[in-house]
Amino acid sequence: MTIDHKYQVPTVAVHTDIFERVTRSVARVNGMPKMRQAYVPQPVMGKSPAELRAYIEGNDMVSGRPFMQEVIDGLTTPLDSEGAQGISFDRSTPRLVEPDTEDNLHQLFLDRHWTDTLPIVLPTEARVEAMLRGTSHKPDEVVGHMRPTGFREFWEFTVEKVAVNAVMAGCKPEYLPILLALASTGASARASTTSSAAAMAVVNGPIRHELKMNSGIGAMGPYNHANATIGRAWGLLSQNLQGGSEPGLSYLGSQGNNYAYTSITYAENEERSPWEPLHVQHGFKAEESAVSPFGGCRSTAFTLGIHEKYWQEHVRNLLRGMDPHNSPCYVLDPITARQFVDRGIKTKEALIDWTYENARMPAGEYWSYQLIQNYVYPRATYGEEPYASLLKAKPDELIPMYTRDEIQVVVVGGETNGYWRIMGGGHRGTTSVDKWR
Amino acid sequence: MAQLTVLNPTGYPPKVTAKPMAPRVNTLDGKRVALVDCRFDDSDIFLKEMQGWFEQNLPNVKSEFIQIRNVYTKDDPETWQEIQKGFDAAIIGVGH
């Protein structure tokens, strides 16, 4: 769109056919509904040159016409008035839904993809008003902007809109400041990525106790009202405030992700941790309350304990099982955190340093990972450090899989045993909950 | 049955602003066409095959393979200007 509109060079964009709905939708909401597009079969990835040549010599998967004819016509057929001028229009969002029966409204919310398909609490005016008592902020205050992916447009939302989604998820009013804080970061728990990423939220500070959040036995599971409904509400508000999360249109996760139901939301077990809390690592005081969203949560590696003799080999093995483009977050039961201390890892920073030094792989292997090819290699060739320097390594030279700032450590669990895991997930910042009280 | 009034849970989308497209060329004959690799998955292989198709089927079209300078998620004005100055048309891909 940029080349065609801003730089006025006639352009055809080629996509695989499964993205037809999303590409046409994106073109329309960008004011360019007649953008010329052509479609080949899915996938392109992994196909041989001969197979891709067959795509080119075959038919366009949407129009059914010869693919290259579609491309050539896209560059040479004169534009109609809508193509030449584009289109402008407003999209209003009414505050209220047309009154109806309870059953019909539940069906309407399902039909419009406003839920996670599990039963919701209907956001009546009385319930939303009660929810809004959980914050001192005005209902019409703009909280932030969100979008499901980088090529979509940002949508805007207010305190009231966050409260509506909190009601739907079954939250109590006192949970609202955490949701407002999460929403204010713009971090979506419903990213549309084909990689089926989910999100994670770690809560720190006094609000954990005020809300009776769980940081002990079963904290990451379905056993605590605040953990469960805050995480669910983050997902609902993401899909509704960013402009949707509809499969094939605004959600493209190929396999989907069960973590997305409640977005892995829990409190850090600060009291049983030997280390400083996550929010203190990121500049807050211990007596302040904060929440840290993570994105890109897909993979989990686990083991039991930190073996006295071979612990370094074991942890390296877990790290080597991760995709190097997916930042590691240690999620440690307090038993395990203390075992790390016993092995000489006295602080979270020491574990981060150890990981940076030990999560390594041969350069040739690293650069051949598809996600590294897509997202890191172009940054390296552009000159961005440390990737530009890493690109100079010989194929068998060991290079770090992660930068230090990609590695995080959280302590959670009830000490029924020393099981622990490494979540693949990127830290999206740590933000104040107190400012949204 | 009793009727309920509930609030709409969706956010506020931005106004859609028209974006005029570039006028098309009359023909590709003798024109320079940029085959723009968005550097996602195996797009480069695909576009090099397309370049081969042009050479074989429309040899009067001067197709040239170029890559964006950084990740596709970042704007790339240097490359867009290069295309604007040096080419009559562009084919970008592959989105998938």
Side-chain angles (χ1 to χ4, degrees):
Chain A
M1 281 184 288
T2 303
I3 307 173
D4 207 318
H5 163 64
K6 189 171 176 183
Y7 293 85
Q8 287 290 294
V9 178
T11 303
V12 168
V14 178
H15 309 280
T16 54
D17 59 330
I18 202 159
F19 295 96
E20 185 205 354
R21 283 184 74 203
V22 62
T23 53
R24 294 205 190 284
S25 165
V26 168
R28 179 173 167 75
V29 300
N30 276 281
M32 238 169 95
K34 295 297 179 69
M35 179 184 165
R36 301 286 170 82
Q37 315 199 61
Y39 297 91
V40 292
Q42 174 83 328
V44 165
M45 181 192 67
K47 291 291 181 184
S48 67
E51 289 172 312
L52 295 176
R53 185 62 171 260
Y55 283 6
I56 291 163
E57 292 172 347
N59 289 337
D60 182 285
M61 293 297 289
V62 173
S63 71
R65 304 170 62 220
F67 172 75
M68 285 308 295
Q69 192 62 54
E70 197 71 34
V71 170
I72 291 165
D73 287 354
L75 297 173
T76 58
T77 304
L79 304 172
D80 62 13
S81 61
E82 208 171 61
Q85 295 164 21
I87 55 168
S88 298
F89 58 93
D90 270 322
R91 292 175 289 174
S92 64
T93 301
R95 181 169 178 268
L96 300 174
V97 176
E98 199 67 28
D100 209 331
T101 64
E102 185 176 356
D103 286 350
N104 286 346
L105 286 169
H106 276 294
Q107 190 59 49
L108 178 86
F109 273 56
L110 272 173
D111 292 344
R112 292 191 180 177
H113 303 279
W114 287 349
T115 79
D116 51 16
T117 74
L118 297 176
I120 56 150
V121 177
L122 286 172
T124 62
E125 288 180 291
R127 287 171 180 154
V128 174
E129 189 180 331
M131 182 61 66
L132 285 165
R133 291 191 199 110
T135 182
S136 61
H137 291 254
K138 293 181 178 174
D140 62 353
E141 179 180 336
V142 172
V143 177
H145 300 82
M146 196 179 286
R147 57 183 176 176
T149 181
F151 61 79
R152 284 275 187 182
E153 76 280 19
F154 279 109
W155 285 37
E156 187 172 272
F157 49 88
T158 60
V159 170
E160 183 177 81
K161 288 290 186 183
V162 175
V164 170
N165 284 276
V167 169
M168 289 167 61
C171 290
K172 295 178 180 176
E174 53 266 39
Y175 305 167
L176 187 58
I178 292 181
L179 289 168
L180 291 166
L182 281 168
S184 72
T185 66
S188 173
R190 290 281 192 272
S192 80
T193 170
T194 54
S195 68
S196 304
M200 178 168 82
V202 181
V203 179
N204 284 102
I207 200 162
R208 296 170 304 132
H209 298 306
E210 295 166 30
L211 304 187
K212 298 183 173 58
M213 291 191 76
N214 187 4
S215 62
I217 295 174
M220 299 171 78
Y223 306 104
N224 178 274
H225 189 264
N227 293 26
T229 60
I230 290 169
R232 186 189 186 201
W234 184 24
L236 292 178
L237 74 85
S238 294
Q239 68 184 67
N240 287 324
L241 304 182
Q242 72 184 7
S245 186
E246 183 181 336
L249 180 62
S250 41
Y251 179 77
L252 280 307
S254 189
Q255 294 182 312
N257 194 326
N258 199 267
Y259 288 152
Y261 280 111
T262 53
S263 301
I264 326 177
T265 299
Y266 57 91
E268 185 166 29
N269 196 337
E270 298 176 22
E271 290 70 21
R272 298 292 299 165
S273 169
W275 298 323
E276 65 181 2
L278 183 66
H279 70 316
V280 174
Q281 288 180 274
H282 292 283
F284 287 85
K285 295 174 183 168
E287 61 271 25
E288 294 176 319
S289 293
V291 63
S292 303
F294 288 72
C297 299
R298 291 161 288 236
S299 58
T300 313
F302 96 102
T303 194
L304 173 61
I306 308 295
H307 188 270
E308 186 175 1
K309 187 173 179 185
Y310 286 106
W311 73 268
Q312 297 193 64
E313 286 79 2
H314 294 171
V315 182
R316 281 190 207 108
N317 289 343
L318 294 190
L319 290 162
R320 282 298 304 272
M322 314 282 288
D323 189 289
H325 190 250
N326 204 191
S327 312
C329 178
Y330 287 84
V331 181
L332 304 176
D333 190 275
I335 288 176
T336 321
R338 288 196 294 275
Q339 281 191 316
F340 267 115
V341 173
D342 292 342
R343 306 290 173 255
I345 303 292
K346 302 297 185 189
T347 63
K348 284 185 174 178
E349 285 66 34
L351 182 53
I352 290 167
D353 286 343
W354 181 91
T355 304
Y356 173 74
E357 296 296 341
N358 284 273
R360 303 220 162 198
M361 65 168 55
E365 197 176 318
Y366 173 86
W367 290 112
S368 69
Y369 269 87
Q370 190 65 59
L371 286 171
I372 297 297
Q373 278 284 311
N374 288 355
Y375 295 103
V376 181
Y377 182 72
R379 293 162 69 183
T381 56
Y382 193 66
E384 182 180 332
E385 294 294 354
Y387 308 114
S389 294
L390 294 177
L391 199 54
K392 296 171 187 163
K394 292 176 180 170
D396 58 351
E397 186 180 335
L398 293 177
I399 62 173
M401 294 166 65
Y402 310 107
T403 57
R404 278 188 174 80
D405 60 2
E406 289 177 309
I407 305 161
Q408 302 292 334
V409 183
V410 183
V411 177
V412 64
E415 302 178 60
T416 57
N417 208 337
Y419 284 101
W420 62 281
R421 58 186 107 181
I422 301 176
M423 297 289 305
H427 180 229
R428 302 287 189 256
T430 297
T431 192
S432 170
V433 169
D434 294 330
K435 72 173 280 194
W436 292 103
R437 288 181 185 268
Chain B
M1 290 181 70
Q3 294 213 320
L4 295 175
T5 298
V6 301
L7 276 76
N8 183 313
T10 62
Y12 302 106
K15 182 180 185 297
V16 175
T17 305
K19 288 188 173 64
M21 291 165 64
R24 305 292 105 170
V25 291
N26 294 329
T27 175
L28 293 186
D29 209 31
K31 299 290 197 303
R32 291 189 71 192
V33 178
L35 305 177
V36 187
D37 174 19
C38 66
R39 303 179 77 172
F40 189 76
D41 288 354
D42 293 325
S43 300
D44 55 338
I45 303 172
F46 178 88
L47 289 172
K48 284 173 182 170
E49 286 303 312
M50 186 181 278
Q51 187 174 23
W53 186 93
F54 273 116
E55 287 167 359
Q56 192 173 338
N57 294 280
L58 296 173
N60 289 336
V61 177
K62 299 166 189 167
S63 63
E64 190 173 322
F65 175 84
I66 64 172
Q67 287 189 309
I68 58 172
R69 285 173 163 75
N70 206 326
V71 182
Y72 72 92
T73 53
K74 295 182 186 293
D75 192 17
D76 189 2
E78 279 181 86
T79 301
W80 312 149
Q81 285 164 15
E82 179 188 339
I83 293 167
Q84 186 182 43
K85 286 176 187 169
F87 294 90
D88 302 294
I91 299 164
I92 187 165
V94 178
H96 56 289

